[in-house]
Amino acid sequence: MSRPRPHSDPDPASGSAGRAGDGHRAARTGAAVALLAAAVCYASWLLAPVLNPGLRPVRSYLSELAARDQPYHLFFQLGDVVTGLCAVVAGVLLGRVAREVPRVARWGLVVFGVATAVDGGWTTMDCAPSVDARCARLEELGELSWRHQAHTVTSSVAVAGALLSLVALLAVLRGPARRRTGLVVAVVLAVGTVGTLVASVHPGYGLGLWQRTQLAGLSGWLLLAAAVALRGTGSRPERSR
């Protein structure tokens, strides 16, 4: 009669590793979902022809959609706030589990998120200068509220954070498909940003169209970051940093 085999207890280390792996996957999925939500909310300006057809696509800043004297401004403000909060959450989650993503890329995402949330929640414009001559005159004289004047600062910080994050992300992307996608997004964002800067000095150069190109690039960057959060950069993740 053979002796019964001794019962072997499960390895606690393997169980802990499995739970940690599940936690990492959940965090990466959460970051990807947050980035997808941010990209969608940041594209709320696509509804402008329906909600606020009075603003001119060629000449108007997209930020004027959220100006406090414009119809449905709360909708566009909420879009920016949700975008910013989702970006911050994604940046924090990626900092915990996606060590292959450069720290600069993660912090750029957080900077973009904070600045965008502040932009939508506190530093919205008072009025829309592209369609309101009185507003344009008051803006020129510096007689509008501090929030209106601070809007340029928060918007610029948001774009700077996004550009920094995208450049850092491009440096670690591996594989032809990922690199091509990253380069297309970078070109669209760079062209839109440069065009916006030039047209802000020469308003007749199609400011609205350039800024819409810029925001399309920003949404593309958020989608690219979502793909990286979910599937990685294409290189072997580092264990620690």
Side-chain angles (χ1 to χ4, degrees), residues 59-128:
R59 294 183 55 189
S60 299
Y61 277 111
L62 285 169
S63 301
E64 294 180 73
L65 292 169
R68 289 185 291 280
D69 69 338
Q70 293 299 300
Y72 298 101
H73 64 97
L74 290 177
F75 171 78
F76 294 106
Q77 289 176 16
L78 181 61
D80 280 350
V81 171
V82 174
T83 295
L85 294 178
C86 287
V88 171
V89 169
V92 172
L93 288 175
L94 289 176
R96 296 178 60 187
V97 298
R99 298 299 184 180
E100 79 277 13
V101 177
R103 186 177 293 122
V104 173
R106 302 192 303 259
W107 276 108
L109 183 60
V110 171
V111 168
F112 166 83
V114 171
T116 301
V118 171
D119 199 25
W122 287 279
T123 60
T124 51
M125 302 174 75
D126 293 337
C127 48

Side-chain angles (χ1 to χ4, degrees), residues 118-144:
V118 171
D119 199 25
W122 287 279
T123 60
T124 51
M125 302 174 75
D126 293 337
C127 48
S130 70
V131 293
D132 184 343
R134 180 176 179 275
C135 175
R137 180 60 177 164
L138 290 174
E139 184 180 58
E140 184 180 348
L141 295 173
E143 295 183 2
L144 295 175

Side-chain angles (χ1 to χ4, degrees), residues 48-232:
V50 177
L51 300 180
N52 191 350
L55 290 180
R56 305 167 187 172
V58 177
R59 294 183 55 189
S60 299
Y61 277 111
L62 285 169
S63 301
E64 294 180 73
L65 292 169
R68 289 185 291 280
D69 69 338
Q70 293 299 300
Y72 298 101
H73 64 97
L74 290 177
F75 171 78
F76 294 106
Q77 289 176 16
L78 181 61
D80 280 350
V81 171
V82 174
T83 295
L85 294 178
C86 287
V88 171
V89 169
V92 172
L93 288 175
L94 289 176
R96 296 178 60 187
V97 298
R99 298 299 184 180
E100 79 277 13
V101 177
R103 186 177 293 122
V104 173
R106 302 192 303 259
W107 276 108
L109 183 60
V110 171
V111 168
F112 166 83
V114 171
T116 301
V118 171
D119 199 25
W122 287 279
T123 60
T124 51
M125 302 174 75
D126 293 337
C127 48
S130 70
V131 293
D132 184 343
R134 180 176 179 275
C135 175
R137 180 60 177 164
L138 290 174
E139 184 180 58
E140 184 180 348
L141 295 173
E143 295 183 2
L144 295 175
S145 73
W146 69 267
R147 293 185 296 181
H148 185 103
Q149 298 179 47
H151 169 76
T152 301
V153 176
T154 52
S155 295
S156 299
V157 170
V159 173
L163 286 169
L164 188 66
S165 178
L166 177 56
V167 170
L169 202 57
L170 285 175
V172 296
L173 288 179
R174 299 292 181 267
R178 286 183 176 87
R179 285 183 171 178
R180 280 196 299 269
T181 302
L183 286 174
V184 169
V185 170
V187 168
V188 172
L189 180 52
V191 169
T193 300
V194 172
T196 299
L197 291 173
V198 173
S200 64
V201 180
H202 303 282
Y205 288 11
L207 172 63
L209 294 179
W210 289 117
Q211 197 190 25
R212 283 157 176 77
T213 301
Q214 182 188 53
L215 263 68
L218 288 170
S219 288
W221 158 67
L222 290 168
L223 291 173
L224 177 66
V228 169
L230 194 61
R231 300 180 180 179

